[in-house]
Amino acid sequence: MKPIKIELLIILLTMISGLTACTKSFLDVIPNDQLSSATFWNTKADANMALAGCYRGWENGMNIVMGDAMTDNDYSHMTVTGYQQVGNGSVSPQNVLVGSGARAFSYVQIRKYNNFLENIEPMTELTDNEKKLMMAEVRFLRAYDYFLKVMFFGDMPMITTTIPPGELPSRTSAAVLHSFILTELEEISQVLPVQNVLESKGHITKGAALALKARLELYLGKFPEAMLSSKAVIDMGVYELFPNYEELFYRQNNASNKESIAEVQHIFNDYSTTIPWQRLPSWKGGYAESGVSRTLVDAYETANGLPIDEDPAYNPNNPFSNRDPRLKMTVALPGSNWFGRIYSALDPQINGASNPDYYLNDGSKAAQMGKKYLDAEIQNAERQNFDANIMVIRLAEMYLTYAEAAVETGQDLDGALDYINLLRARAGHVPATTLTKELVRRERRVELALEGLRYYDIKRWNLGPQVMNGPYYGSRLGSVNMTTGEVTWGTGYILVENRTFYPERNYLLPIPQSELDVNPNMTQNPGYN
């Protein structure tokens, strides 16, 4: 079957069955406006339209870009988006249904997927192979949705069919969900094609299925399995590192990026994203909803390939010089050139006028911001109508998955180090000479910074007590010369907030109170009673 470009079908999605105008329960799995099989589910066009409907909303790209604000990498000053509450420990059953918590807990997508899988099976206008391929794509989307649910909430209802009215689901164990996801991904990987996203025109492929499988296997400590799955993706030969790390995230390269394994595709007007609105600096019309931490900046090595506290050549009064090039490609730092002007959120005034980017005004509360996906050509009119494709999984993650699994198993350490050094070389950084657990963890943090994976890493490495508790600092205080970019550093760092980590919660978000109120079969996660 010739692939249909997903983004071109987005505008038809309101015709898809399973969409609801309102629900009594956020966990609503009963479609109340299902289209009749007598008028729909008859033609190949119906099937393609329904498939496009399943892709709509399968992942909110904003959760990829903003997800690290739940961690020690980033900070969101907007409580309405929900990331701040998770990061500082104030998330509760009353406020969890915002940001990633809302997306992960909702069963709106699951309802669409189940409805699609049940209705496409009896269609006669599709060949068996066409049906198998479409079903495999939707099964991936459903597996990904359950991946989010189990990662953020643990035990969650596993619903694989449309359920009768009045049925109140109870929670399924995380272990069962893990097994279901891995089995689904293995089975559909035998059906899906070996293609990159350019060749598949945005459809899910074999590489995406095995890459998500590798991600979950790594998080579960199934290191030999993670090595096999990630290596299978690497060896497919259809993916390759994009040559420029910074430009990898630019929308101008959507049509040439072979590093992307799975992505959310956006198109002007019809299915756009508001990333610039949230992430641009205040002077450029954004909300500056990014506050990169001191610890993330400090995690980038020096140009000598050493941590800053191990390199005697590191100068704390010239901290951004001679560093891993990915630092300046990822973070807008005080004194750096960004959008054609010197960036400073440290000074209350610039040239005698109030500075909108000042961290105590409308600027980044950490005075340093994430740059990924924000290309230099962004226009004001594009702040809420932006067309950058957001990568959910990319080849670099598979290199890092393989490397971490290699360290944990003691297998193929030389090959794993080669993968690490491919990433470093791509950015213009010096090669590493020895593969260690510390190196792999540092590489994951800086290579994948601000891509929504740090929360999962903190959880599986159990770093919460060390990195999610106590003061969250941003930039060092100082003043920026707006002509030269030179920073005169003062003493102390910006204290963005104080955080509290609750180990009894086991990194899980609370079940929404609204769900507990209507469903007696749901129970609350530990630490929220």
Side-chain angles (χ1 to χ4, degrees), residues 22-84:
C22 60
T23 58
K24 293 181 180 179
S25 167
F26 205 74
L27 199 161
D28 188 351
V29 294
I30 306 164
N32 59 16
D33 62 349
Q34 185 171 350
L35 292 173
S36 168
S37 60
T39 57
F40 199 75
W41 300 110
N42 291 319
T43 67
K44 187 177 294 189
D46 291 345
N48 280 323
M49 193 184 304
L51 179 61
C54 289
Y55 274 95
R56 183 183 179 95
W58 75 274
E59 169 56 74
N60 182 346
M62 189 59 66
N63 288 332
I64 302 295
V65 179
M66 287 300 305
D68 274 15
M70 301 187 295
T71 76
D72 58 339
N73 279 355
D74 203 6
Y75 168 81
S76 166
H77 65 81
M78 298 176 65
T79 57
V80 69
T81 59
Y83 305 105
Q84 180 191 128

Side-chain angles (χ1 to χ4, degrees), residues 26 63 79-83 85-86 91 94-104 509:
F26 205 74
N63 288 332
T79 57
V80 69
T81 59
Y83 305 105
Q85 294 94 311
V86 178
V91 65
Q94 287 72 35
N95 67 23
V96 68
L97 289 185
V98 290
S100 60
R103 170 64 189 86
L509 301 185

Side-chain angles (χ1 to χ4, degrees), residues 20-225:
T20 58
C22 60
T23 58
K24 293 181 180 179
S25 167
F26 205 74
L27 199 161
D28 188 351
V29 294
I30 306 164
N32 59 16
D33 62 349
Q34 185 171 350
L35 292 173
S36 168
S37 60
T39 57
F40 199 75
W41 300 110
N42 291 319
T43 67
K44 187 177 294 189
D46 291 345
N48 280 323
M49 193 184 304
L51 179 61
C54 289
Y55 274 95
R56 183 183 179 95
W58 75 274
E59 169 56 74
N60 182 346
M62 189 59 66
N63 288 332
I64 302 295
V65 179
M66 287 300 305
D68 274 15
M70 301 187 295
T71 76
D72 58 339
N73 279 355
D74 203 6
Y75 168 81
S76 166
H77 65 81
M78 298 176 65
T79 57
V80 69
T81 59
Y83 305 105
Q84 180 191 128
Q85 294 94 311
V86 178
N88 63 25
S90 65
V91 65
S92 71
Q94 287 72 35
N95 67 23
V96 68
L97 289 185
V98 290
S100 60
R103 170 64 189 86
F105 193 83
S106 171
Y107 276 72
V108 169
Q109 295 295 123
I110 294 293
R111 182 171 65 239
K112 287 197 292 185
Y113 304 148
N114 290 340
N115 195 52
F116 179 93
L117 294 170
E118 291 178 1
N119 281 283
I120 197 173
E121 186 70 45
M123 291 184 68
T124 58
E125 278 209 10
L126 298 174
T127 67
D128 287 343
N129 286 337
E130 287 173 331
K131 284 190 281 190
K132 286 180 182 178
L133 178 57
M134 289 177 132
M135 292 174 72
E137 292 180 48
V138 174
R139 287 170 68 186
F140 171 91
L141 301 179
R142 185 174 64 179
Y144 181 82
D145 200 292
Y146 277 118
F147 170 83
L148 296 179
K149 287 173 171 41
V150 75
M151 292 302 294
F152 285 115
F153 292 97
D155 300 350
M156 283 287 280
M158 189 174 78
I159 302 166
T160 56
T161 61
T162 55
I163 65 175
E167 184 170 321
L168 298 174
S170 56
R171 303 177 75 176
T172 303
S173 73
V176 171
L177 288 171
H178 293 151
S179 179
F180 170 76
I181 295 166
L182 293 175
T183 300
E184 284 284 280
L185 294 172
E186 176 61 30
E187 289 181 0
I188 64 176
S189 72
Q190 307 304 313
V191 177
L192 293 165
V194 177
Q195 295 176 320
N196 57 46
V197 293
L198 303 180
E199 296 165 333
S200 72
K201 294 180 172 59
H203 288 251
I204 293 299
T205 63
K206 181 184 183 81
L210 291 180
L212 181 58
K213 184 169 180 279
R215 181 185 286 183
L216 181 55
E217 287 166 341
L218 186 71
Y219 293 161
L220 294 177
K222 296 177 177 289
F223 299 117
E225 295 89 342

Side-chain angles (χ1 to χ4, degrees), residues 246 250 281 283 320 327-344 369 371 374-376 480-487:
E246 185 170 13
Y250 289 176
W283 79 266
F320 311 136
L327 172 57
K328 291 183 179 179
M329 296 178 186
T330 304
V331 184
L333 300 159
S336 63
N337 193 303
W338 196 26
F339 295 114
R341 62 179 272 177
I342 301 298
Y343 171 69
S344 174
M369 298 179 62
K371 294 169 61 176
L374 301 177
D375 64 84
V480 178
N481 184 314
M482 295 300 289
T483 301
T484 66
E486 182 179 357
V487 184

